[in-house]
Amino acid sequence: MVHMSGHRPYVIRGSVSLPEAELMWRFSRSSGPGGQHVNTSDSQVELRFDLARTEALPEVWKERALERLASRLVDGVVSVRASEHRSQWRNREMAATRLASLLAEATAPPPKPRRATRIPRGINERRLREKKRRGETKQGRSGKGWG
């Protein structure tokens, strides 16, 4: 595993971003595009983030994310792969962006519960009248009672 540091932070939401120090990078040969170049360069990127032990996320977010990503976690660590591009740098960008959006989705507050509303009686009656009229139109096409 290689720890990378340097460029812009990957924002999860608001002022919270991925902590560079806690990102674990691994590079390997990619099966993607690149011809003979692919056989010699480690362009596939695997980015791992220890969700269970991080201090970078607010506690509420962390609990939410651990619960929602439970099926993807291995010992509390979430991992993301990228191998679409020929360049390792672009795959790194892709992996980090993917991880940030995955965490943004997993830490989002639950949606507000839907408030049940009643359908106005007039609308329902109009719908039933239309249905009846449509049925009568179709009935008229059957040719019954023509003699």
Side-chain angles (χ1 to χ4, degrees):
M1 296 282 168
V2 181
H3 287 275
M4 304 300 298
S5 64
H7 60 299
R8 66 186 180 81
Y10 294 96
V11 177
I12 295 173
R13 198 169 53 252
S15 60
V16 182
S17 55
L18 285 175
E20 286 285 345
E22 294 183 29
L23 299 180
M24 296 167 279
W25 300 86
R26 197 166 77 200
F27 308 100
S28 56
R29 298 216 171 112
S30 175
S31 62
Q36 293 172 335
H37 168 76
V38 136
N39 305 328
T40 60
S41 64
D42 292 344
S43 61
Q44 177 172 287
V45 174
E46 184 183 358
L47 175 57
R48 300 180 60 192
F49 179 65
D50 195 338
L51 190 55
R53 292 186 190 82
T54 187
E55 297 294 317
L57 298 177
E59 202 53 43
V60 183
W61 286 23
K62 198 158 107 172
E63 284 169 21
R64 225 181 266 156
L66 284 168
E67 191 180 308
R68 290 181 185 168
L69 297 175
S71 62
R72 283 192 67 152
L73 298 177
V74 178
D75 296 331
V77 176
V78 65
S79 80
V80 174
R81 269 210 182 98
S83 61
E84 293 80 56
H85 302 291
R86 284 180 63 164
S87 108
Q88 185 190 95
W89 183 81
R90 282 174 71 190
N91 281 334
R92 267 186 14 210
E93 289 286 303
M94 190 77 137
T97 306
R98 230 177 252 167
L99 180 62
S101 67
L102 182 73
L103 289 174
E105 211 172 286
T107 58
K112 287 196 173 87
R114 181 185 175 278
R115 278 188 29 219
T117 56
R118 283 194 55 226
I119 298 170
R121 207 173 83 211
I123 288 179
N124 214 13
E125 285 173 359
R126 188 174 68 206
R127 182 182 64 86
L128 292 173
R129 269 199 313 273
E130 290 291 321
K131 254 170 97 81
K132 194 134 203 76
R133 219 176 73 222
R134 186 87 181 128
E136 285 165 3
T137 304
K138 289 186 170 192
Q139 197 82 54
R141 293 183 188 148
S142 71
K144 280 188 191 153
W146 278 23

